[in-house]
Amino acid sequence: MKAGIVGFPLVGKSTLFRLLTGNPGPSHGGRPGVRLGVARVPDPRVAALADIFKPKRRTWATVEYVDVPGVSRGEGAALVDLPALRGVDALVHVLRAFESDLVPHPEGSIDPRRDAATLELELILADLGTVERRIERLEASIQKARLPEDVAERELFLRLKAALEAETPLREMDLSEEEQRRLRGYALLSAKPLLLVPNLDEDRTRDADVFLRSSGLAEFARRPQVALCAVSAPIEAEMSELDPEDARAFREDLGLVEPGLDRVIRTSYDLLGLLSFLTVGEDECRAWTIRRGTRARVAAGTIHSDIERGFIRAEVVPFDDLVAAGSLASCRERGTLRLEGKDFEVQDGDVINFRFAV
Ligand SMILES: Nc1nc2c(ncn2[C@@H]2O[C@H](COP(=O)(O)OP(=O)(O)O)[C@@H](O)[C@H]2O)c(=O)[nH]1
Ligand SMILES: [Mg+2]
C-alpha cells in the first residue's frame, strides 16, 4: 500500500516524510523533489510473538510514502502529471497549523480548515481536466465507430463530470466495483481516500482535540473516506532521537497515548480498509497486509502464489488466545486453534498456519 504526501509548500511534508520513513530516499523516477520511502506499520503483536517463538527474523507490515513538491493555489493540475502519484492508494494532506515567523505561509495566515478546502478544490479541478479530456476522446471515437464499451464509459465520465462540477470529490461517489476498476488507470486524485494531517505547534499537542474542533477541521473531516490525525513535527523529531523508555515518559508528559507517527501510519492503514494477519515460526514472526474481507485462500496468496494454489486449510488462532496459551500446542489442547476452509474471512490479528500441497 502506498500513500502520497501532498500539500502547500513549507507545511512540513518533507519533515513528516523523513520522520515516517527514517530515510531521505533517493529521488524517485529521476524527478527532482519526488522521494519514495518505506514506513513500518507499528504492531506490538510481532514483538510479542517473537518473545514466544524466538525467530531469526521479525518482519513488520509496511506502508510506502511518496513525498512530492508542494503545490500552490491554482497549481493542482501539476499533481496529475506526477507519475509517482499515479499508483498511490491514498493521499496524505499535510496542513500548516504551526505558528512561525521564520516560515512564511503563502496565504498569510494560519487556517488549516481553509487550506484543506483549497486543496480539495484543486484536486477536484485537476480531475475535471482529466475527465473532460477523456470525454472528448470518447466522443471522437464514438463518432467513428459506436462501440458499446465507449458509450458506457462516456456515460460514466459524464456522471463524474457532473459530480466534479458540483464540487463533489469523486471519493464520495457511489460507484460499482466494475466502474471503480474502469477508473483505476486514470490519475483521479479526488477519488483517493484522504488523510488530513495538521502539523501542530508543540504547545498545542496537549489540547489537540480542542484545536481540531475549533479550527473546523474535525467537522471538515467528517466525510466519507476522509480521516484526520494531528502531529507536531518538532515533537516527533525530538521523540525519534530518544530511546524508547525516555520517549514514553516524554509522551506521557504530553498526554499522548502513542507516538503521532504511529497514529499516522495506523490511520492510513485503517482508511484503506487494510488489516494484518500474522505468521509464526522459528525462522520468522511476521505481519502480512490484506484488505478487510479477504478470505483465507486469497490471504495465503500474499505469502506465496503456490500456497494459494495448493491451499488445503488454514490453522487459525486469534493473537490474544495464542499469547494466553503460550504455545500452539496448548492452543490445540484448549481448542482455540481452529481449522478453517478457503472461504474463511481472515480477521485482524489472526495467527495463521496455511496447509498446502503443490
Ligand atoms: N516551527 C515549526 N517549523 C516547522 C514545522 N514543520 C516543519 N517546519 C519547518 O518548515 C520548513 C519547511 O519544512 P518542510 O518539511 O521542508 O516543508 P515542505 O515544503 O512541506 O516539504 C522547514 O524549515 C522546517 O524545519 C513545525 O511543526 N514547526
Ligand atoms: Mg518538501
Side-chain angles (χ1 to χ4, degrees):
M1 122 70 182
K2 201 198 274 183
I5 302 179
V6 297
F8 296 111
L10 302 179
V11 296
K13 297 183 299 303
S14 297
T15 308
L16 184 69
F17 170 79
R18 277 192 301 272
L19 288 165
L20 284 167
T21 62
N23 148 10
S27 116
H28 180 60
R31 296 259 172 163
V34 177
R35 303 198 179 288
L36 184 67
V38 180
R40 179 195 274 184
V41 178
D43 191 340
R45 295 173 301 194
V46 174
L49 292 173
D51 283 344
I52 299 176
F53 291 89
K54 315 274 185 244
K56 296 193 196 88
R57 276 192 318 276
R58 312 156 176 219
T59 311
W60 279 263
T62 57
V63 175
E64 281 181 291
Y65 288 95
V66 189
D67 185 29
V68 301
V71 290
S72 302
R73 187 191 279 275
E75 286 181 356
L79 294 173
V80 179
D81 298 326
L82 286 172
L85 280 188
R86 259 176 199 263
V88 304
D89 307 291
L91 296 178
V92 176
H93 181 189
V94 181
L95 294 152
R96 168 83 183 260
F98 62 87
E99 307 279 346
S100 166
D101 295 335
L102 299 175
V103 186
H105 189 300
E107 305 283 325
S109 63
I110 307 298
D111 183 347
R113 158 77 176 71
R114 171 203 60 204
D115 295 347
T118 305
L119 191 88
E120 182 84 306
L121 192 57
E122 290 294 328
L123 299 181
I124 287 171
L125 292 174
D127 285 353
L128 192 55
T130 307
V131 165
E132 283 174 342
R133 279 193 299 279
R134 183 62 195 151
I135 292 172
E136 269 171 40
R137 290 246 176 97
L138 284 165
E139 309 242 298
S141 57
I142 289 169
Q143 292 259 308
K144 272 185 242 142
R146 202 181 160 80
L147 300 176
E149 176 77 5
D150 288 348
V151 175
E153 189 159 324
R154 179 177 61 179
E155 185 275 329
L156 170 60
F157 273 78
L158 286 171
R159 260 162 58 217
L160 302 185
K161 181 166 181 255
L164 293 166
E165 282 172 343
E167 297 188 8
T168 303
L170 299 180
R171 73 179 89 81
E172 288 182 20
M173 281 189 82
D174 223 349
L175 297 173
S176 68
E177 270 185 32
E178 156 68 20
E179 288 168 332
Q180 290 177 23
R181 197 152 36 77
R182 242 175 224 276
L183 297 179
R184 216 160 280 160
Y186 300 92
L188 293 167
L189 300 170
S190 76
K192 298 186 190 291
L194 177 70
L195 173 59
L196 299 170
V197 180
N199 184 9
L200 303 186
D201 264 323
E202 295 156 87
D203 54 11
R204 261 195 194 133
T205 12
R206 201 178 282 283
D207 52 6
D209 287 343
V210 176
F211 174 77
L212 294 181
R213 261 178 280 127
S214 67
S215 64
L217 270 180
E219 174 68 32
F220 186 87
R222 234 184 316 258
R223 295 192 291 164
Q225 298 203 69
V226 177
L228 175 64
C229 181
V231 296
S232 172
I235 287 190
E236 295 303 323
E238 228 173 296
M239 217 136 40
S240 66
E241 303 280 310
L242 300 174
D243 64 56
E245 261 320 297
D246 291 346
R248 183 170 321 148
F250 182 40
R251 222 161 44 228
E252 276 165 13
D253 236 27
L254 289 166
L256 300 174
V257 184
E258 73 177 322
L261 298 174
D262 287 8
R263 213 151 26 83
V264 169
I265 300 169
R266 216 165 29 75
T267 314
S268 337
Y269 214 62
D270 286 349
L271 185 66
L272 286 165
L274 302 174
L275 59 81
S276 297
F277 73 88
L278 305 144
T279 54
V280 294
E282 284 170 13
D283 276 339
E284 188 181 42
C285 286
R286 176 163 185 167
W288 302 85
T289 302
I290 51 171
R291 294 205 170 274
R292 229 174 275 146
T294 300
R295 305 200 178 259
R297 186 213 284 264
V298 175
T302 56
I303 301 177
H304 200 287
S305 55
D306 283 350
I307 309 182
E308 180 172 357
R309 221 171 316 121
F311 181 94
I312 298 172
R313 61 179 175 271
E315 298 174 344
V316 183
V317 57
F319 167 80
D320 287 335
D321 290 343
L322 173 53
V323 171
S327 73
L328 288 172
S330 53
C331 288
R332 238 173 239 117
E333 280 163 26
R334 295 173 181 210
T336 49
L337 187 87
R338 307 179 318 258
L339 290 181
E340 301 282 2
K342 64 181 170 42
D343 289 328
F344 168 69
E345 187 179 316
V346 176
Q347 306 295 308
D348 188 52
D350 278 344
V351 180
I352 307 185
N353 179 37
F354 291 105
R355 297 261 170 222
F356 68 104
V358 280

